[in-house]
Amino acid sequence: MTLEELEQGKAASLAEIAAVTDAAGVEQLRVKYVGRNGSIPALIKAMKDVPKEERPAFGKAVQAWRAEVEAALAAKGAGAATGGAKAEDVDATLPGRWAAPGVEHPLSRVIADTARIFGKLGFTVADGPDIETRFNNFTALNTPDHHPTNDRTDTFWIDSAEIRGEGTARTAEDLLLRTQTSPVQIRTMLANKPPVRVICPGRTYRRDTTDATHSANFHQIEGLYVDTKPVSLADLKSVLAYFAKEMMGDSVTVRFRPHFFPFTEPSVEVDFSCHVCKGKGCSVCKQSGWIEVAGAGMVDPRVFKHVGWNPDEVSGYAFGFGVERIAMIKYGIPDIRWLYENDLRFLSQLV
Ligand code: PHE
């Protein structure tokens, strides 16, 4: 085929396409010209027989023909997307293709939501290491060396005289896996000047036997607010009430029950009203209408002394809650182990 014949062939094909009026005709011409065995692909295959010096010009002309024919066909409604199929051939009731998008893990979500909620109140996020000293995890938090939580049966110790088999001497530098996020309170106060307003999410470790509600490794979020102006228990309650509503829904309220923690005085345990039964009593709240979620209280003056702050000049509150606990009640998860098994059949339900 000469270049001239090629131009004629192109003109004829375009005229043919311009004249066609129905979809079946368009499809026929698509097959005839650009289909797998169509005449334009045949020309491309035949290129090897074209004299070498004519090949570039010939090739260009064939490509231009193909482009023009495809454009003309597309303008007539023959589309690659439908592969030339007619509208009535498309079954719109077939399920779409599943793209399997990832979802945020419920624990990550609770932590991110908490940071966002407290962020609105001016709290920033503070961080601390999982391996702590006895001083930060216990002593500075007014928990004496003889307190049972210091014991080897409750805490994962990493380094101490006892671990090394060198006797029973206890020092401030002994190392352990933190049993709570409260040592980040100490780090924050040692590194800053009042006022401080932080939340500290992180992993915590205890020698607990794993069951549906316990895990040797879980997460807490600590909160600490200390200021040179007076801070009261009512401030703490209002902040936690705000958090409860933002996290669990508008109907949720908080109640305080007297409790004891070595590092707060007074200390309270914090309950949220049950978001499922709205306080009437159901299986989630064990018929009580309330769910225990946090420990809290006013920072004990002894803690301020340990970090070198004058308890007559500052006051503040602290709270700490379990991330797993919030996730379990919020998403109705009955077994804490589900949060660690990474079973997609479970995780992907929490979209
Ligand atoms: N650290 C405490 C616990 O793990 C919780 C707590 C934090 C209590 C802050 C009071 C203030 O049980």
Side-chain angles (χ1 to χ4, degrees), residues 179-180 182 185 206 220 222 261 263-264 295-297 318-320:
T179 60
Q180 50 191 352
S182 303
Q185 289 185 35
R206 286 180 200 178
Q220 285 189 334
E222 195 80 8
F261 295 105
F263 38 91
T264 46
F319 56 86

Side-chain angles (χ1 to χ4, degrees), residues 127-161:
D127 201 11
D130 290 15
I131 297 178
E132 267 295 2
T133 59
R134 183 193 295 275
F135 178 79
N136 287 342
N137 193 83
F138 289 130
T139 320
L141 289 162
N142 196 33
T143 311
D145 288 354
H146 57 77
H147 192 276
T149 53
N150 270 244
D151 221 76
R152 276 176 76 172
T153 52
D154 283 304
T155 299
F156 291 108
W157 285 94
I158 290 179
D159 191 31
S160 67

Side-chain angles (χ1 to χ4, degrees), residues 78-308:
T82 58
K86 295 184 288 283
E88 52 271 34
D89 291 341
V90 176
D91 182 356
T93 64
L94 283 174
R97 281 198 198 113
W98 177 239
V103 294
E104 201 173 22
H105 192 278
L107 296 179
S108 308
R109 206 183 305 180
V110 168
I111 291 173
D113 284 351
T114 305
R116 181 179 51 76
I117 295 165
F118 281 103
K120 289 198 269 185
L121 299 174
F123 285 74
T124 54
V125 175
D127 201 11
D130 290 15
I131 297 178
E132 267 295 2
T133 59
R134 183 193 295 275
F135 178 79
N136 287 342
N137 193 83
F138 289 130
T139 320
L141 289 162
N142 196 33
T143 311
D145 288 354
H146 57 77
H147 192 276
T149 53
N150 270 244
D151 221 76
R152 276 176 76 172
T153 52
D154 283 304
T155 299
F156 291 108
W157 285 94
I158 290 179
D159 191 31
S160 67
E162 212 173 341
I163 294 280
R164 295 189 301 271
E166 294 167 4
T168 52
R170 297 182 163 183
T171 67
E173 292 77 34
D174 291 343
L175 294 177
L176 49 83
L177 288 176
R178 67 179 175 193
T179 60
Q180 50 191 352
T181 42
S182 303
V184 191
Q185 289 185 35
I186 302 303
R187 290 179 174 271
T188 303
M189 288 191 276
L190 286 172
N192 294 281
K193 284 192 167 31
V196 294
R197 201 188 255 111
V198 290
I199 60 157
C200 329
R203 281 178 185 276
T204 52
Y205 306 81
R206 286 180 200 178
R207 279 189 184 268
D208 268 333
T209 305
T210 304
D211 63 21
T213 53
H214 292 86
S215 166
N217 170 210
F218 56 103
H219 298 73
Q220 285 189 334
I221 298 183
E222 195 80 8
L224 175 72
Y225 171 46
V226 182
D227 210 328
T228 45
K229 21 179 221 235
V231 180
S232 75
L233 203 62
D235 296 330
L236 169 63
K237 197 164 181 183
S238 70
V239 160
L240 292 179
Y242 173 73
F243 171 67
K245 286 190 198 311
E246 290 280 309
M247 185 59 115
M248 305 303 295
D250 266 348
S251 67
V252 175
T253 53
V254 297
R255 86 173 173 187
F256 282 179
R257 278 179 294 110
H259 197 68
F260 173 80
F261 295 105
F263 38 91
T264 46
E265 181 58 35
S267 299
V268 293
E269 270 189 322
V270 184
D271 296 342
F272 284 0
S273 63
C274 181
H275 60 295
V276 177
C277 63
K278 311 270 181 270
K280 283 194 226 54
C282 67
S283 60
V284 173
C285 58
K286 301 202 184 80
Q287 310 305 330
S288 73
W290 295 93
I291 303 173
E292 183 195 321
V293 290
M298 303 308 292
V299 180
D300 194 297
R302 287 166 189 251
V303 175
F304 288 136
K305 279 190 192 147
H306 275 296
V307 296

